[in-house]
Amino acid sequence: MSHPIKIIVGLGNPGREYEATRHNVGFWLLDELAWQWKTAFKEEKKFFGEVVRMSHPEGDVWLIKPMTFMNRSGQAVAALAQFYKIKPEEILVVHDELDIECGRIKFKLGGGNGGHNGLKDIQACLGTPDFYRLRLGIGHPGDKALVSAYVLNKPGAEHRQLIEDSVKKSIKSIPLLTVGEFEEAQRFLHSR
């Protein structure tokens, strides 16, 4: 039996200058989810981030937006997981993915970090890559030298719409993920 998801982490960078950037799509998704759940994030210094706890019949689900900047995201994830004794395989990390076409979604357990500094730090702090990832495609600028500027800038109107559509579709899979219906969620997320 699969473990249901108990923590959903949205990756991004704090600060107004990063709000609408590609690297913050994890924050976009969590903000939309909190809005749909009619709740609001509260800063929790002991978890190094903004946190929401939602009670569902199946159990509590935590949403966290690390406020540590991307390359220190693991500090927040590990603090929350250790405090509530939540296993890595009960954690879902929502992040931007360069290697996936803009607007596409991929869901998986474990794997490498693809050079993503947020994933790299979470793996280091949890001591394992075995957590779930919801990878929201942002496309690639085509040249490795352009990647940093690309992810830290706002997408154009067309790409922004594709990303927003992928966020909305992803949110529809959350009820499946919080009860451990991963295969069904994956089929839905990977469909066009």
Side-chain angles (χ1 to χ4, degrees), residues 8-190:
I8 303 174
V9 183
L11 294 187
N13 285 309
R16 293 192 71 76
E17 68 270 33
Y18 298 109
E19 268 177 19
T21 65
R22 291 176 179 91
H23 222 20
N24 273 40
V25 299
F27 280 13
W28 298 8
L29 189 141
L30 262 64
D31 287 339
E32 178 66 22
L33 187 57
W35 181 81
Q36 286 189 20
W37 286 356
K38 296 176 177 43
T39 187
F41 283 93
K42 292 184 184 73
E43 188 172 345
E44 288 279 356
K45 290 200 185 316
K46 70 179 174 184
F47 299 134
F48 309 97
E50 293 182 358
V51 178
V52 166
R53 181 176 107 195
M54 286 300 296
S55 294
H56 295 284
E58 304 80 33
D60 290 346
V61 177
W62 294 89
L63 307 182
I64 184 167
K65 297 191 303 184
M67 291 291 131
T68 51
F69 286 94
M70 189 65 79
N71 61 351
R72 300 282 307 171
S73 299
Q75 184 180 16
V77 177
L80 185 63
Q82 287 164 4
F83 190 84
Y84 289 105
K85 297 178 176 40
I86 294 171
K87 301 177 183 91
E89 61 271 20
E90 297 171 326
I91 298 172
L92 174 68
V93 177
V94 182
H95 64 91
D96 58 303
E97 180 59 66
L98 283 163
D99 296 328
I100 298 175
E101 174 188 333
C102 190
R104 297 292 308 271
I105 307 162
K106 293 289 180 188
F107 171 75
K108 71 174 188 171
L109 171 65
N113 56 51
H116 194 292
N117 290 330
L119 292 177
K120 211 179 284 186
D121 195 58
I122 293 169
Q123 286 178 350
C125 291
L126 293 179
T128 180
D130 294 332
F131 51 88
Y132 285 92
R133 298 101 187 278
L134 188 55
R135 305 158 67 211
L136 303 181
I138 60 168
H140 197 287
D143 183 340
K144 201 173 177 180
L146 302 174
V147 164
S148 183
Y150 180 77
V151 299
L152 294 175
N153 275 294
K154 299 174 183 178
E158 184 184 345
H159 273 198
R160 176 151 186 118
Q161 188 61 56
L162 288 169
I163 294 167
E164 285 177 355
D165 290 346
S166 72
V167 164
K168 288 180 184 136
K169 182 174 182 176
S170 296
I171 286 174
K172 290 179 183 169
S173 74
I174 299 296
L176 294 170
L177 298 172
T178 57
V179 296
E181 297 284 348
F182 299 126
E183 284 181 24
E184 197 175 328
Q186 188 173 41
R187 265 194 305 278
F188 170 72
L189 289 165
H190 292 185

